[in-house]
Every structure is written in C-alpha cells, then in structure tokens.
Amino acid sequence: MIENRHHLVRDTTFREDASRLRTGSAPRAMAAFRNLAIGALRLSGVDNLAKATRHNARNPYRPLPFIGITP
C-alpha cells in the first residue's frame, strides 16, 4: 500500500495532495514541517490530530511547548 501512516494523515488533515507547491525543494520542506507537527502532537498524546491542529492554529504561541520552546 502506497499510503502509509504519515501520508494518509498529511493528506486528510493537511490536504497535502491539493497543495500547489510542485517545484524545487518546497514540497519536501512542507512535508518535513507537516511530519514535525504530526510527530510532536503524537508524542504529546494527542488522539485527534485534526482537532489538535485546528486548536493550536488559533494562537501562534500555543504549539511552541510541543516542540520544547517556552514563550
């Protein structure tokens, strides 16, 4: 199966397949950032990634503790 665990989440939660980034290193960089977000949320024990992503997007300081930064 081509769709692995990360790709399925990136596609459904972040709509990666609809992205218009197609050239250079931009697609790979965005996939890395999305993987970082998924990994940080999973390590913190989040079950619903879509809900947590929406919640953390509302405040730019809220996701910082997930990656070890204290504002």
Side-chain angles (χ1 to χ4, degrees), residues 2-43:
I2 294 172
E3 301 276 331
N4 63 22
R5 185 175 174 190
H6 279 286
H7 183 77
L8 180 63
V9 171
R10 287 193 326 245
D11 188 28
T12 56
T13 303
F14 296 108
R15 298 182 153 256
E16 185 175 66
D17 287 346
S19 174
R20 297 192 58 138
L21 297 172
R22 302 263 189 256
T23 61
S25 60
R28 186 173 294 166
M30 288 305 299
F33 288 130
R34 291 177 185 119
N35 285 339
L36 174 66
I38 291 166
L41 290 170
R42 282 192 176 142
L43 282 174

Side-chain angles (χ1 to χ4, degrees), residues 34-57:
R34 291 177 185 119
N35 285 339
L36 174 66
I38 291 166
L41 290 170
R42 282 192 176 142
L43 282 174
S44 68
V46 169
D47 292 326
N48 188 335
L49 291 173
K51 182 178 177 182
T53 302
R54 287 190 304 270
H55 177 74
N56 286 314

Side-chain angles (χ1 to χ4, degrees), residues 40-41 52 55-69:
L41 290 170
H55 177 74
N56 286 314
R58 294 185 186 126
N59 182 337
Y61 298 106
R62 198 175 287 157
L64 295 178
F66 288 110
I67 56 174
I69 299 173

